[in-house]
Amino acid sequence: MTLKLSPYRNEPLTDFSVPANRQAYQDALQKMRATVGRTYPLVIGGRRIETDDTIASVNPARKDEVIGYTAKANREHAELALEVGWKAWEDWRTWDMDARARILVKAAALMRRRKHEFSAMMTLEAGKNFAEADADTAEAIDFLEYYARQSLKYAGAGETYDFPGEENRLHHIPLGVGVSISPWNFPLAIFTGMLAAPIVVGNCVIAKPAEDTGIIAAMVVDLMHEAGLPEGVLTYLPGLGEEVGDYLVKHARTRFVTFTGSRQVGLMINENAAKVQPGQRWIKRVVLEMGGKDALIVDETADLDEAAAAAVASAFGFAGQKCSAMSRLIVVDSVHDELVRLVVEKTEKLTVGSGEQDCNVTPLVNDESFEKVTRYMEYGRQEGKLLTGGSTDGSVGHFAQPTIFDDVQPGARVAQDEIFGPVVAVIRAQDFDDALRIANNTEYGLTGGVFTKKRERIERARRDFQVGNLYVNRKITGALVGVQPFGGFNMSGTDSKAGGPNYLEYFLQLKTVAERF
Ligand code: NAD
């Protein structure tokens, strides 16, 4: 029976100005707080496996609070996961596409019902405030609904011409068993999307979540099984990236690797996966989505108040810990002073504190990130003029003030390196052309934006701004699944466009069958 679904639409965001919604979120926080201290075992082929060694998931707003522990997989667990995955694949690959898609739709329905619980766990584990966590959950639901619908177009035959006396068919078939390695910054949406896509088109996935956010990932794995996913199709394998992640990337039996994370790790994975191991029978398919150094250009025709509001939202939402976050603000000289004044004014109104208290600028995820941001604040002092912020406070949590450096040179470290925190480099441009040159002067190419009223400049940016996701006269974060397919150029990755109409093809191969009658 063919799956019949209502048209796709994005999951609505929760309006937290409504007191009942805030209360519901507080209740969910309390419910999730009651789970603090639990240990989440590995899930391999229906078995829940405890390990001697564990990974602690720490509340970034209160460093002394452990939210829970996940098991820590080793090489034997990785071997077992591959064994179980390939066994499960024999059956899973034969399922009808619509039957697989139904599981995603069911998972979306379950997640929608418990929406605030998933979000609240991200508030505890990743430090997200209510709206940021809610958007992450909505995106996860979107990925499930969107990929369920997209999969159906690969159920039938692909397009071919007829040849007299023959039947010619083009089939989309799954690849096999792959590993999905995800980051902590969208610990629900990206984790969910990166496993749902390969799975719905008939692959088995070993999901290795980021070390900092293994608990929310465990909740997703439970949800997928509750939705009816057969055991063995999805393995939950938390562990260290450089240990179990690396082992799986290099393994001869790994058919594909889908990765989202830093440029440094992504490039290493690319290299490791390319090397053919003894006994390996295929060229591994590798999908990489990596970092950014995203710029917003503001010219002299722009609505400066709107531009300033968009800059602040793009730079400091989730403390700048988004691959799409604005970290370079490139302003045409004649409006520089006024724009910068407005940006600083709006920035200084932001509250810094925990997600549980629903502050605007929430903590950095871990010690490493805290140290990096602290270091780059020092570089910023050397390379520019501090306008606001400039300090970090690690006494209770990993807090960093929203920080703006003015008069930064385009080649400076704070203008070139991905900092992944609330730090903005303001760069002065002579005119729009100069601004576009500066914006493109990066090895990354993820998101970018322009604020201008000039039609010809908008068209110029459409053509010449080298980014995978370009935004005009709006903020540069918050891409919607199915509406703004997401992924970057150059060192930002393979531009696979998550949440886009071709994404599932990365997890499929084509087989042509010609029968002469
Ligand atoms: P990271 O590269 O440190 O880690 C990502 C994942 O890779 C983790 O699960 C980690 O355990 C694993 N890993 C680490 N070393 C490994 C190895 N040697 N072999 C295999 N796996 C390994 O990144 P992060 O700090 O978790 O995430 C932040 C980064 O992700 C930023 O650079 C950000 O821009 C990027 N990001 C990109 C996108 C996108 O769509 N382009 C989206 C979100 C985040």
Side-chain angles (χ1 to χ4, degrees), residues 181-185 190 208-211 241-242 245-246 249 259-263 265 268-269 289-292 323 418 420 446 486 492:
I181 301 177
S182 47
W184 50 264
N185 71 328
I190 293 183
K208 203 224 69 72
E211 291 84 338
E242 60 273 27
D246 181 71
V249 165
F259 167 85
T260 304
S262 64
R263 169 189 179 281
V265 174
M268 190 160 62
I269 286 177
E289 294 308 320
M290 314 190 302
C323 53
E418 187 186 47
F420 226 55
L446 192 45
F486 190 80
S492 289

PDB file of all heavy atoms in Angstrom, residues 181-185 190 208-211 241-242 245-246 249 259-263 265 268-269 289-292 323 418 420 446 486 492, ligand 1:
ATOM      1  N   ILE A 181      28.672  10.331  12.080  1.00  0.00           N
ATOM      2  CA  ILE A 181      29.451  10.979  13.154  1.00  0.00           C
ATOM      3  C   ILE A 181      28.987  12.429  13.251  1.00  0.00           C
ATOM      4  O   ILE A 181      29.144  13.205  12.309  1.00  0.00           O
ATOM      5  CB  ILE A 181      30.958  10.895  12.840  1.00  0.00           C
ATOM      6  CG1 ILE A 181      31.390   9.421  12.708  1.00  0.00           C
ATOM      7  CG2 ILE A 181      31.778  11.599  13.917  1.00  0.00           C
ATOM      8  CD1 ILE A 181      32.845   9.222  12.325  1.00  0.00           C
ATOM      9  N   SER A 182      28.418  12.778  14.398  1.00  0.00           N
ATOM     10  CA  SER A 182      27.724  14.067  14.475  1.00  0.00           C
ATOM     11  C   SER A 182      28.321  14.995  15.539  1.00  0.00           C
ATOM     12  O   SER A 182      29.027  14.547  16.435  1.00  0.00           O
ATOM     13  CB  SER A 182      26.234  13.814  14.740  1.00  0.00           C
ATOM     14  OG  SER A 182      26.077  12.887  15.781  1.00  0.00           O
ATOM     15  N   PRO A 183      27.988  16.286  15.447  1.00  0.00           N
ATOM     16  CA  PRO A 183      28.511  17.281  16.402  1.00  0.00           C
ATOM     17  C   PRO A 183      27.541  17.501  17.560  1.00  0.00           C
ATOM     18  O   PRO A 183      26.420  16.992  17.552  1.00  0.00           O
ATOM     19  CB  PRO A 183      28.585  18.537  15.540  1.00  0.00           C
ATOM     20  CG  PRO A 183      27.400  18.418  14.631  1.00  0.00           C
ATOM     21  CD  PRO A 183      27.187  16.951  14.382  1.00  0.00           C
ATOM     22  N   TRP A 184      27.967  18.292  18.523  1.00  0.00           N
ATOM     23  CA  TRP A 184      27.147  18.552  19.711  1.00  0.00           C
ATOM     24  C   TRP A 184      26.260  19.776  19.553  1.00  0.00           C
ATOM     25  O   TRP A 184      25.395  20.027  20.385  1.00  0.00           O
ATOM     26  CB  TRP A 184      28.062  18.771  20.929  1.00  0.00           C
ATOM     27  CG  TRP A 184      29.134  19.783  20.650  1.00  0.00           C
ATOM     28  CD1 TRP A 184      30.416  19.517  20.242  1.00  0.00           C
ATOM     29  CD2 TRP A 184      29.019  21.209  20.685  1.00  0.00           C
ATOM     30  NE1 TRP A 184      31.092  20.690  20.015  1.00  0.00           N
ATOM     31  CE2 TRP A 184      30.250  21.749  20.281  1.00  0.00           C
ATOM     32  CE3 TRP A 184      27.984  22.088  21.013  1.00  0.00           C
ATOM     33  CZ2 TRP A 184      30.474  23.122  20.178  1.00  0.00           C
ATOM     34  CZ3 TRP A 184      28.208  23.457  20.916  1.00  0.00           C
ATOM     35  CH2 TRP A 184      29.445  23.958  20.512  1.00  0.00           C
ATOM     36  N   ASN A 185      26.473  20.598  18.511  1.00  0.00           N
ATOM     37  CA  ASN A 185      25.810  21.908  18.550  1.00  0.00           C
ATOM     38  C   ASN A 185      24.349  21.889  18.118  1.00  0.00           C
ATOM     39  O   ASN A 185      23.574  22.729  18.543  1.00  0.00           O
ATOM     40  CB  ASN A 185      26.624  22.956  17.788  1.00  0.00           C
ATOM     41  CG  ASN A 185      26.594  22.753  16.307  1.00  0.00           C
ATOM     42  OD1 ASN A 185      26.512  21.626  15.821  1.00  0.00           O
ATOM     43  ND2 ASN A 185      26.656  23.834  15.562  1.00  0.00           N
ATOM     44  N   ILE A 190      20.668  17.471  14.020  1.00  0.00           N
ATOM     45  CA  ILE A 190      21.679  16.912  13.111  1.00  0.00           C
ATOM     46  C   ILE A 190      21.841  15.416  13.353  1.00  0.00           C
ATOM     47  O   ILE A 190      21.909  14.631  12.410  1.00  0.00           O
ATOM     48  CB  ILE A 190      23.015  17.679  13.226  1.00  0.00           C
ATOM     49  CG1 ILE A 190      22.817  19.112  12.703  1.00  0.00           C
ATOM     50  CG2 ILE A 190      24.122  16.979  12.446  1.00  0.00           C
ATOM     51  CD1 ILE A 190      24.069  19.974  12.694  1.00  0.00           C
ATOM     52  N   LYS A 208      27.398   7.528  15.901  1.00  0.00           N
ATOM     53  CA  LYS A 208      28.331   7.921  16.961  1.00  0.00           C
ATOM     54  C   LYS A 208      28.094   9.394  17.289  1.00  0.00           C
ATOM     55  O   LYS A 208      28.490  10.282  16.559  1.00  0.00           O
ATOM     56  CB  LYS A 208      29.785   7.708  16.522  1.00  0.00           C
ATOM     57  CG  LYS A 208      30.679   7.572  17.741  1.00  0.00           C
ATOM     58  CD  LYS A 208      31.993   8.327  17.698  1.00  0.00           C
ATOM     59  CE  LYS A 208      32.040   9.795  17.745  1.00  0.00           C
ATOM     60  NZ  LYS A 208      31.732  10.488  19.000  1.00  0.00           N
ATOM     61  N   PRO A 209      27.412   9.642  18.409  1.00  0.00           N
ATOM     62  CA  PRO A 209      27.144  11.041  18.759  1.00  0.00           C
ATOM     63  C   PRO A 209      28.404  11.732  19.280  1.00  0.00           C
ATOM     64  O   PRO A 209      29.388  11.073  19.607  1.00  0.00           O
ATOM     65  CB  PRO A 209      26.094  10.920  19.867  1.00  0.00           C
ATOM     66  CG  PRO A 209      26.353   9.593  20.504  1.00  0.00           C
ATOM     67  CD  PRO A 209      26.909   8.700  19.424  1.00  0.00           C
ATOM     68  N   ALA A 210      28.346  13.056  19.387  1.00  0.00           N
ATOM     69  CA  ALA A 210      29.459  13.804  19.976  1.00  0.00           C
ATOM     70  C   ALA A 210      29.556  13.463  21.466  1.00  0.00           C
ATOM     71  O   ALA A 210      28.550  13.169  22.116  1.00  0.00           O
ATOM     72  CB  ALA A 210      29.225  15.296  19.780  1.00  0.00           C
ATOM     73  N   GLU A 211      30.745  13.547  21.990  1.00  0.00           N
ATOM     74  CA  GLU A 211      30.997  13.176  23.387  1.00  0.00           C
ATOM     75  C   GLU A 211      30.177  14.018  24.371  1.00  0.00           C
ATOM     76  O   GLU A 211      29.806  13.534  25.439  1.00  0.00           O
ATOM     77  CB  GLU A 211      32.489  13.352  23.726  1.00  0.00           C
ATOM     78  CG  GLU A 211      33.437  12.373  23.053  1.00  0.00           C
ATOM     79  CD  GLU A 211      33.839  12.782  21.639  1.00  0.00           C
ATOM     80  OE1 GLU A 211      33.112  13.567  20.992  1.00  0.00           O
ATOM     81  OE2 GLU A 211      34.884  12.316  21.157  1.00  0.00           O
ATOM     82  N   GLY A 241      35.734  10.158  19.535  1.00  0.00           N
ATOM     83  CA  GLY A 241      35.910  10.293  18.091  1.00  0.00           C
ATOM     84  C   GLY A 241      37.214   9.696  17.615  1.00  0.00           C
ATOM     85  O   GLY A 241      37.254   8.920  16.656  1.00  0.00           O
ATOM     86  N   GLU A 242      38.280  10.035  18.326  1.00  0.00           N
ATOM     87  CA  GLU A 242      39.604   9.602  17.867  1.00  0.00           C
ATOM     88  C   GLU A 242      39.826   8.105  18.093  1.00  0.00           C
ATOM     89  O   GLU A 242      40.756   7.531  17.532  1.00  0.00           O
ATOM     90  CB  GLU A 242      40.716  10.437  18.499  1.00  0.00           C
ATOM     91  CG  GLU A 242      40.798  10.412  20.020  1.00  0.00           C
ATOM     92  CD  GLU A 242      39.897  11.457  20.696  1.00  0.00           C
ATOM     93  OE1 GLU A 242      38.864  11.839  20.110  1.00  0.00           O
ATOM     94  OE2 GLU A 242      40.218  11.858  21.830  1.00  0.00           O
ATOM     95  N   GLY A 245      35.395   6.335  16.596  1.00  0.00           N
ATOM     96  CA  GLY A 245      35.039   7.024  15.344  1.00  0.00           C
ATOM     97  C   GLY A 245      36.085   6.742  14.278  1.00  0.00           C
ATOM     98  O   GLY A 245      35.777   6.305  13.162  1.00  0.00           O
ATOM     99  N   ASP A 246      37.326   6.943  14.654  1.00  0.00           N
ATOM    100  CA  ASP A 246      38.451   6.731  13.746  1.00  0.00           C
ATOM    101  C   ASP A 246      38.502   5.271  13.268  1.00  0.00           C
ATOM    102  O   ASP A 246      38.724   4.989  12.090  1.00  0.00           O
ATOM    103  CB  ASP A 246      39.731   7.106  14.498  1.00  0.00           C
ATOM    104  CG  ASP A 246      40.974   6.942  13.659  1.00  0.00           C
ATOM    105  OD1 ASP A 246      41.158   7.757  12.738  1.00  0.00           O
ATOM    106  OD2 ASP A 246      41.750   5.999  13.913  1.00  0.00           O
ATOM    107  N   VAL A 249      35.768   4.696  10.698  1.00  0.00           N
ATOM    108  CA  VAL A 249      36.046   5.396   9.437  1.00  0.00           C
ATOM    109  C   VAL A 249      37.023   4.577   8.586  1.00  0.00           C
ATOM    110  O   VAL A 249      36.882   4.463   7.374  1.00  0.00           O
ATOM    111  CB  VAL A 249      36.623   6.804   9.724  1.00  0.00           C
ATOM    112  CG1 VAL A 249      37.271   7.414   8.483  1.00  0.00           C
ATOM    113  CG2 VAL A 249      35.536   7.727  10.259  1.00  0.00           C
ATOM    114  N   PHE A 259      29.450  12.706   8.030  1.00  0.00           N
ATOM    115  CA  PHE A 259      30.085  13.445   9.123  1.00  0.00           C
ATOM    116  C   PHE A 259      29.629  14.889   9.111  1.00  0.00           C
ATOM    117  O   PHE A 259      29.558  15.523   8.050  1.00  0.00           O
ATOM    118  CB  PHE A 259      31.611  13.387   8.940  1.00  0.00           C
ATOM    119  CG  PHE A 259      32.365  14.359   9.826  1.00  0.00           C
ATOM    120  CD1 PHE A 259      32.699  14.031  11.138  1.00  0.00           C
ATOM    121  CD2 PHE A 259      32.740  15.616   9.345  1.00  0.00           C
ATOM    122  CE1 PHE A 259      33.382  14.930  11.959  1.00  0.00           C
ATOM    123  CE2 PHE A 259      33.426  16.524  10.158  1.00  0.00           C
ATOM    124  CZ  PHE A 259      33.752  16.170  11.466  1.00  0.00           C
ATOM    125  N   THR A 260      29.359  15.436  10.276  1.00  0.00           N
ATOM    126  CA  THR A 260      29.208  16.881  10.444  1.00  0.00           C
ATOM    127  C   THR A 260      30.050  17.273  11.642  1.00  0.00           C
ATOM    128  O   THR A 260      29.930  16.667  12.711  1.00  0.00           O
ATOM    129  CB  THR A 260      27.735  17.281  10.677  1.00  0.00           C
ATOM    130  OG1 THR A 260      26.951  16.783   9.605  1.00  0.00           O
ATOM    131  CG2 THR A 260      27.572  18.786  10.732  1.00  0.00           C
ATOM    132  N   GLY A 261      30.895  18.265  11.452  1.00  0.00           N
ATOM    133  CA  GLY A 261      31.771  18.697  12.536  1.00  0.00           C
ATOM    134  C   GLY A 261      32.808  19.668  12.006  1.00  0.00           C
ATOM    135  O   GLY A 261      32.571  20.386  11.034  1.00  0.00           O
ATOM    136  N   SER A 262      33.955  19.683  12.652  1.00  0.00           N
ATOM    137  CA  SER A 262      34.968  20.683  12.325  1.00  0.00           C
ATOM    138  C   SER A 262      35.712  20.349  11.031  1.00  0.00           C
ATOM    139  O   SER A 262      35.776  19.196  10.610  1.00  0.00           O
ATOM    140  CB  SER A 262      35.961  20.784  13.478  1.00  0.00           C
ATOM    141  OG  SER A 262      36.635  19.551  13.623  1.00  0.00           O
ATOM    142  N   ARG A 263      36.306  21.380  10.467  1.00  0.00           N
ATOM    143  CA  ARG A 263      37.082  21.236   9.245  1.00  0.00           C
ATOM    144  C   ARG A 263      38.246  20.273   9.462  1.00  0.00           C
ATOM    145  O   ARG A 263      38.513  19.386   8.644  1.00  0.00           O
ATOM    146  CB  ARG A 263      37.604  22.618   8.855  1.00  0.00           C
ATOM    147  CG  ARG A 263      38.626  22.673   7.772  1.00  0.00           C
ATOM    148  CD  ARG A 263      39.172  24.097   7.696  1.00  0.00           C
ATOM    149  NE  ARG A 263      40.192  24.216   6.680  1.00  0.00           N
ATOM    150  CZ  ARG A 263      41.448  23.823   6.818  1.00  0.00           C
ATOM    151  NH1 ARG A 263      41.838  23.272   7.958  1.00  0.00           N
ATOM    152  NH2 ARG A 263      42.312  23.981   5.841  1.00  0.00           N
ATOM    153  N   VAL A 265      38.726  17.785  11.637  1.00  0.00           N
ATOM    154  CA  VAL A 265      38.356  16.371  11.743  1.00  0.00           C
ATOM    155  C   VAL A 265      37.775  15.884  10.409  1.00  0.00           C
ATOM    156  O   VAL A 265      38.077  14.778   9.954  1.00  0.00           O
ATOM    157  CB  VAL A 265      37.369  16.138  12.914  1.00  0.00           C
ATOM    158  CG1 VAL A 265      36.879  14.703  12.934  1.00  0.00           C
ATOM    159  CG2 VAL A 265      38.024  16.476  14.241  1.00  0.00           C
ATOM    160  N   MET A 268      40.472  15.036   7.978  1.00  0.00           N
ATOM    161  CA  MET A 268      41.167  13.816   8.388  1.00  0.00           C
ATOM    162  C   MET A 268      40.320  12.587   8.029  1.00  0.00           C
ATOM    163  O   MET A 268      40.835  11.593   7.514  1.00  0.00           O
ATOM    164  CB  MET A 268      41.401  13.875   9.899  1.00  0.00           C
ATOM    165  CG  MET A 268      42.305  12.815  10.440  1.00  0.00           C
ATOM    166  SD  MET A 268      42.930  13.338  12.035  1.00  0.00           S
ATOM    167  CE  MET A 268      41.440  13.465  12.980  1.00  0.00           C
ATOM    168  N   ILE A 269      39.035  12.687   8.250  1.00  0.00           N
ATOM    169  CA  ILE A 269      38.131  11.583   7.907  1.00  0.00           C
ATOM    170  C   ILE A 269      38.155  11.337   6.398  1.00  0.00           C
ATOM    171  O   ILE A 269      38.201  10.201   5.919  1.00  0.00           O
ATOM    172  CB  ILE A 269      36.698  11.884   8.414  1.00  0.00           C
ATOM    173  CG1 ILE A 269      36.656  11.716   9.935  1.00  0.00           C
ATOM    174  CG2 ILE A 269      35.658  11.013   7.728  1.00  0.00           C
ATOM    175  CD1 ILE A 269      35.329  12.038  10.581  1.00  0.00           C
ATOM    176  N   GLU A 289      30.137  17.688   6.241  1.00  0.00           N
ATOM    177  CA  GLU A 289      29.640  19.055   6.433  1.00  0.00           C
ATOM    178  C   GLU A 289      30.451  19.676   7.560  1.00  0.00           C
ATOM    179  O   GLU A 289      30.472  19.149   8.666  1.00  0.00           O
ATOM    180  CB  GLU A 289      28.140  19.048   6.740  1.00  0.00           C
ATOM    181  CG  GLU A 289      27.303  18.560   5.565  1.00  0.00           C
ATOM    182  CD  GLU A 289      27.600  19.275   4.263  1.00  0.00           C
ATOM    183  OE1 GLU A 289      27.796  20.505   4.271  1.00  0.00           O
ATOM    184  OE2 GLU A 289      27.676  18.599   3.223  1.00  0.00           O
ATOM    185  N   MET A 290      31.133  20.778   7.262  1.00  0.00           N
ATOM    186  CA  MET A 290      32.136  21.282   8.210  1.00  0.00           C
ATOM    187  C   MET A 290      31.875  22.749   8.608  1.00  0.00           C
ATOM    188  O   MET A 290      30.755  23.201   8.575  1.00  0.00           O
ATOM    189  CB  MET A 290      33.511  21.065   7.612  1.00  0.00           C
ATOM    190  CG  MET A 290      33.632  19.654   7.031  1.00  0.00           C
ATOM    191  SD  MET A 290      35.237  19.088   6.533  1.00  0.00           S
ATOM    192  CE  MET A 290      35.769  20.267   5.340  1.00  0.00           C
ATOM    193  N   GLY A 291      32.928  23.428   8.965  1.00  0.00           N
ATOM    194  CA  GLY A 291      32.789  24.737   9.618  1.00  0.00           C
ATOM    195  C   GLY A 291      32.501  25.910   8.696  1.00  0.00           C
ATOM    196  O   GLY A 291      32.275  25.770   7.499  1.00  0.00           O
ATOM    197  N   GLY A 292      32.524  27.097   9.293  1.00  0.00           N
ATOM    198  CA  GLY A 292      32.260  28.308   8.524  1.00  0.00           C
ATOM    199  C   GLY A 292      32.921  29.521   9.158  1.00  0.00           C
ATOM    200  O   GLY A 292      33.355  29.488  10.315  1.00  0.00           O
ATOM    201  N   CYS A 323      27.319  26.625  13.008  1.00  0.00           N
ATOM    202  CA  CYS A 323      28.186  26.697  11.833  1.00  0.00           C
ATOM    203  C   CYS A 323      27.772  27.865  10.956  1.00  0.00           C
ATOM    204  O   CYS A 323      28.560  28.401  10.205  1.00  0.00           O
ATOM    205  CB  CYS A 323      28.124  25.390  11.064  1.00  0.00           C
ATOM    206  SG  CYS A 323      26.444  24.912  10.691  1.00  0.00           S
ATOM    207  N   GLU A 418      37.647  29.862  12.417  1.00  0.00           N
ATOM    208  CA  GLU A 418      36.343  29.623  13.038  1.00  0.00           C
ATOM    209  C   GLU A 418      36.546  29.562  14.556  1.00  0.00           C
ATOM    210  O   GLU A 418      37.266  28.696  15.051  1.00  0.00           O
ATOM    211  CB  GLU A 418      35.726  28.315  12.544  1.00  0.00           C
ATOM    212  CG  GLU A 418      34.306  28.141  13.050  1.00  0.00           C
ATOM    213  CD  GLU A 418      33.679  26.794  12.718  1.00  0.00           C
ATOM    214  OE1 GLU A 418      34.335  25.768  12.930  1.00  0.00           O
ATOM    215  OE2 GLU A 418      32.525  26.781  12.267  1.00  0.00           O
ATOM    216  N   PHE A 420      33.859  29.760  16.910  1.00  0.00           N
ATOM    217  CA  PHE A 420      32.731  29.009  17.441  1.00  0.00           C
ATOM    218  C   PHE A 420      32.331  29.476  18.840  1.00  0.00           C
ATOM    219  O   PHE A 420      32.153  28.692  19.769  1.00  0.00           O
ATOM    220  CB  PHE A 420      33.026  27.500  17.439  1.00  0.00           C
ATOM    221  CG  PHE A 420      31.870  26.715  16.885  1.00  0.00           C
ATOM    222  CD1 PHE A 420      31.364  27.010  15.625  1.00  0.00           C
ATOM    223  CD2 PHE A 420      31.269  25.708  17.615  1.00  0.00           C
ATOM    224  CE1 PHE A 420      30.288  26.307  15.107  1.00  0.00           C
ATOM    225  CE2 PHE A 420      30.180  25.002  17.104  1.00  0.00           C
ATOM    226  CZ  PHE A 420      29.699  25.303  15.847  1.00  0.00           C
ATOM    227  N   LEU A 446      30.133  28.744   3.887  1.00  0.00           N
ATOM    228  CA  LEU A 446      28.887  28.134   4.360  1.00  0.00           C
ATOM    229  C   LEU A 446      27.702  29.088   4.206  1.00  0.00           C
ATOM    230  O   LEU A 446      26.930  28.970   3.268  1.00  0.00           O
ATOM    231  CB  LEU A 446      29.078  27.662   5.803  1.00  0.00           C
ATOM    232  CG  LEU A 446      28.008  26.763   6.403  1.00  0.00           C
ATOM    233  CD1 LEU A 446      27.595  25.665   5.455  1.00  0.00           C
ATOM    234  CD2 LEU A 446      28.488  26.155   7.704  1.00  0.00           C
ATOM    235  N   PHE A 486      20.571  22.956   3.237  1.00  0.00           N
ATOM    236  CA  PHE A 486      21.721  23.547   3.928  1.00  0.00           C
ATOM    237  C   PHE A 486      23.033  22.808   3.684  1.00  0.00           C
ATOM    238  O   PHE A 486      23.119  21.592   3.850  1.00  0.00           O
ATOM    239  CB  PHE A 486      21.424  23.564   5.437  1.00  0.00           C
ATOM    240  CG  PHE A 486      22.423  24.359   6.211  1.00  0.00           C
ATOM    241  CD1 PHE A 486      22.329  25.738   6.251  1.00  0.00           C
ATOM    242  CD2 PHE A 486      23.472  23.736   6.862  1.00  0.00           C
ATOM    243  CE1 PHE A 486      23.266  26.484   6.946  1.00  0.00           C
ATOM    244  CE2 PHE A 486      24.415  24.480   7.556  1.00  0.00           C
ATOM    245  CZ  PHE A 486      24.315  25.858   7.597  1.00  0.00           C
ATOM    246  N   SER A 492      33.981  24.295   3.721  1.00  0.00           N
ATOM    247  CA  SER A 492      32.806  24.082   4.573  1.00  0.00           C
ATOM    248  C   SER A 492      32.164  22.733   4.302  1.00  0.00           C
ATOM    249  O   SER A 492      31.206  22.360   4.979  1.00  0.00           O
ATOM    250  CB  SER A 492      31.781  25.198   4.373  1.00  0.00           C
ATOM    251  OG  SER A 492      32.264  26.392   4.943  1.00  0.00           O
TER     252      SER A 492
HETATM  253  P1  NAD B   1      34.350  17.922  15.938  1.00  0.00           P
HETATM  254  O1  NAD B   1      34.915  17.833  14.577  1.00  0.00           O
HETATM  255  O2  NAD B   1      35.240  18.147  17.068  1.00  0.00           O
HETATM  256  O3  NAD B   1      33.549  16.575  16.276  1.00  0.00           O
HETATM  257  C1  NAD B   1      32.509  16.088  15.443  1.00  0.00           C
HETATM  258  C2  NAD B   1      32.387  14.594  15.630  1.00  0.00           C
HETATM  259  O4  NAD B   1      33.567  13.967  15.134  1.00  0.00           O
HETATM  260  C3  NAD B   1      32.241  14.150  17.079  1.00  0.00           C
HETATM  261  O5  NAD B   1      31.283  13.120  17.153  1.00  0.00           O
HETATM  262  C4  NAD B   1      33.630  13.623  17.401  1.00  0.00           C
HETATM  263  O6  NAD B   1      33.621  12.651  18.405  1.00  0.00           O
HETATM  264  C5  NAD B   1      34.041  13.029  16.076  1.00  0.00           C
HETATM  265  N1  NAD B   1      35.488  12.855  15.887  1.00  0.00           N
HETATM  266  C6  NAD B   1      36.489  13.569  16.449  1.00  0.00           C
HETATM  267  N2  NAD B   1      37.686  13.099  16.038  1.00  0.00           N
HETATM  268  C7  NAD B   1      37.429  12.084  15.189  1.00  0.00           C
HETATM  269  C8  NAD B   1      38.252  11.204  14.432  1.00  0.00           C
HETATM  270  N3  NAD B   1      39.583  11.284  14.473  1.00  0.00           N
HETATM  271  N4  NAD B   1      37.670  10.275  13.648  1.00  0.00           N
HETATM  272  C9  NAD B   1      36.333  10.172  13.607  1.00  0.00           C
HETATM  273  N5  NAD B   1      35.506  10.967  14.311  1.00  0.00           N
HETATM  274  C10 NAD B   1      36.036  11.918  15.087  1.00  0.00           C
HETATM  275  O7  NAD B   1      33.195  19.047  15.866  1.00  0.00           O
HETATM  276  P2  NAD B   1      32.247  19.575  17.025  1.00  0.00           P
HETATM  277  O8  NAD B   1      33.055  20.406  17.952  1.00  0.00           O
HETATM  278  O9  NAD B   1      31.447  18.457  17.599  1.00  0.00           O
HETATM  279  O10 NAD B   1      31.224  20.496  16.215  1.00  0.00           O
HETATM  280  C11 NAD B   1      31.490  21.812  15.879  1.00  0.00           C
HETATM  281  C12 NAD B   1      31.907  21.917  14.428  1.00  0.00           C
HETATM  282  O11 NAD B   1      30.880  21.384  13.589  1.00  0.00           O
HETATM  283  C13 NAD B   1      32.101  23.339  13.962  1.00  0.00           C
HETATM  284  O12 NAD B   1      33.243  23.404  13.148  1.00  0.00           O
HETATM  285  C14 NAD B   1      30.845  23.611  13.134  1.00  0.00           C
HETATM  286  O13 NAD B   1      30.993  24.617  12.165  1.00  0.00           O
HETATM  287  C15 NAD B   1      30.599  22.284  12.529  1.00  0.00           C
HETATM  288  N6  NAD B   1      29.209  22.134  12.103  1.00  0.00           N
HETATM  289  C16 NAD B   1      28.929  22.144  10.755  1.00  0.00           C
HETATM  290  C17 NAD B   1      27.635  22.040  10.320  1.00  0.00           C
HETATM  291  C18 NAD B   1      27.301  22.038   8.845  1.00  0.00           C
HETATM  292  O14 NAD B   1      26.189  21.688   8.498  1.00  0.00           O
HETATM  293  N7  NAD B   1      28.219  22.410   7.983  1.00  0.00           N
HETATM  294  C19 NAD B   1      26.598  21.918  11.246  1.00  0.00           C
HETATM  295  C20 NAD B   1      26.922  21.904  12.616  1.00  0.00           C
HETATM  296  C21 NAD B   1      28.222  22.008  13.031  1.00  0.00           C
END
